[in-house]
Amino acid sequence: MGSLNADLPTEAFIWIRDSFEAKTGAAQTCLKALRAAYKWGKNYGFPTHSNVFGVESNHKCKGGAIAWIPEEESMFLDRHGPGTMARRWFYLAENMAGRIGDMNSIGPKNILLEDGYAFLAWQPKKKGSQAVKVPVMPELAEELAASTFHDDTFLTISSGRPFASSGSLDNQVRSWIIQAGLCKVVEEKNPKTMKMEKVKKATRSQHGLRKAVALELAHAGGTVYEIMARLSHSDMKTSEVYAKGIHRATLAVSGYERVQDARKNKESVPTRENRGTLGITKLNNTRVLEEKWQPVGESNPSFQVENLAS
């Protein structure tokens, strides 16, 4: 790197960004990597104010992965029956609610037995993530008990060997999803023939399962902290995305019901005109109490009214 000219003009970084064409997400990732390199390099003789920091990404976020719905989960499980690797992946992914980067290394070593219960425990590979330990779902336990698995990993290729990387597992997962009919047909340029061809693209992913678990937890009344623990988030803001809209709608309903209950109670409870409170008839150097002051206790009529109201 030292022999290269790192002081590139703005036009050079724009050319790099635009070379990705329609793959704007990849272009954004490339810009992030370049900015990180120049941020590191400013302490090692590279330009301290590189033009790369002024180049904006042209990527427009479409909301990321789409959460699975029950009907789609049923489609997948109907296509991939008991004993298949695809079905094992599905239940393992749903149980972990984890990232694809952790899946290919999860195996028997990650099962812990405590007080007669089985738990899945692992440390996510993503930097800053917290360790996770969740109970083993009955569906996953049933799948694992009905078949054999590798000593190191639960998920393997057809030959029985572990997946070489999370990327190879991700490719296989997309293939399983397409086989289940969760896909769409798009036109893409074949890099070998340089011709446009129609190909099937998976419309769901493992991250979509992760989102589905988070939304299910939020619908069930789970707090932001519970979502953080379940998804190994280190930042509360990331978990708030799942809970904010659902909790807001839930609070609106509960607030309406609270008002209605209060109105009903107001109509049924006697009016409390004389509460027996302290009255002030004269403001001077001393406070003079009214002679109508009532003692505290069962002899106080106000006390009896409150008993009836309760």
Tab-separated table of all heavy atoms in Angstrom, residues 111-119:
chain	number	residue	atom	x	y	z
A	111	ILE	N	-24.669	-27.428	23.809
A	111	ILE	CA	-25.811	-27.869	24.612
A	111	ILE	C	-25.370	-28.002	26.073
A	111	ILE	O	-24.413	-28.707	26.387
A	111	ILE	CB	-26.360	-29.229	24.127
A	111	ILE	CG1	-26.833	-29.116	22.678
A	111	ILE	CG2	-27.495	-29.690	25.025
A	111	ILE	CD1	-28.059	-28.242	22.484
A	112	LEU	N	-26.067	-27.308	26.957
A	112	LEU	CA	-25.785	-27.359	28.388
A	112	LEU	C	-26.979	-27.961	29.113
A	112	LEU	O	-28.126	-27.638	28.809
A	112	LEU	CB	-25.495	-25.962	28.938
A	112	LEU	CG	-24.325	-25.182	28.330
A	112	LEU	CD1	-24.218	-23.814	29.002
A	112	LEU	CD2	-23.021	-25.955	28.475
A	113	LEU	N	-26.710	-28.819	30.084
A	113	LEU	CA	-27.765	-29.418	30.897
A	113	LEU	C	-27.700	-28.813	32.287
A	113	LEU	O	-26.681	-28.908	32.975
A	113	LEU	CB	-27.602	-30.935	30.962
A	113	LEU	CG	-27.742	-31.687	29.631
A	113	LEU	CD1	-27.488	-33.186	29.841
A	113	LEU	CD2	-29.126	-31.466	29.025
A	114	GLU	N	-28.776	-28.179	32.692
A	114	GLU	CA	-28.852	-27.555	34.013
A	114	GLU	C	-30.189	-27.882	34.661
A	114	GLU	O	-31.250	-27.573	34.102
A	114	GLU	CB	-28.693	-26.028	33.903
A	114	GLU	CG	-27.342	-25.586	33.370
A	114	GLU	CD	-27.219	-24.071	33.289
A	114	GLU	OE1	-28.205	-23.386	33.670
A	114	GLU	OE2	-26.172	-23.572	32.852
A	115	ASP	N	-30.131	-28.514	35.808
A	115	ASP	CA	-31.337	-28.860	36.576
A	115	ASP	C	-32.341	-29.648	35.743
A	115	ASP	O	-33.558	-29.437	35.838
A	115	ASP	CB	-32.007	-27.593	37.127
A	115	ASP	CG	-31.092	-26.810	38.057
A	115	ASP	OD1	-30.331	-27.463	38.795
A	115	ASP	OD2	-31.147	-25.576	38.049
A	116	GLY	N	-31.836	-30.521	34.904
A	116	GLY	CA	-32.717	-31.363	34.104
A	116	GLY	C	-33.232	-30.712	32.840
A	116	GLY	O	-34.038	-31.314	32.120
A	117	TYR	N	-32.784	-29.484	32.536
A	117	TYR	CA	-33.229	-28.775	31.335
A	117	TYR	C	-32.045	-28.584	30.386
A	117	TYR	O	-30.898	-28.422	30.831
A	117	TYR	CB	-33.826	-27.414	31.687
A	117	TYR	CG	-35.115	-27.503	32.469
A	117	TYR	CD1	-35.115	-27.458	33.862
A	117	TYR	CD2	-36.339	-27.653	31.821
A	117	TYR	CE1	-36.289	-27.546	34.588
A	117	TYR	CE2	-37.529	-27.734	32.539
A	117	TYR	CZ	-37.488	-27.687	33.914
A	117	TYR	OH	-38.667	-27.784	34.627
A	118	ALA	N	-32.341	-28.618	29.090
A	118	ALA	CA	-31.300	-28.432	28.078
A	118	ALA	C	-31.330	-27.001	27.564
A	118	ALA	O	-32.396	-26.445	27.281
A	118	ALA	CB	-31.519	-29.411	26.921
A	119	PHE	N	-30.144	-26.398	27.438
A	119	PHE	CA	-30.014	-25.024	26.949
A	119	PHE	C	-29.024	-24.976	25.791
A	119	PHE	O	-28.077	-25.766	25.731
A	119	PHE	CB	-29.515	-24.089	28.056
A	119	PHE	CG	-30.480	-23.887	29.183
A	119	PHE	CD1	-30.508	-24.761	30.257
A	119	PHE	CD2	-31.372	-22.815	29.184
A	119	PHE	CE1	-31.409	-24.585	31.302
A	119	PHE	CE2	-32.268	-22.635	30.218
A	119	PHE	CZ	-32.288	-23.521	31.285
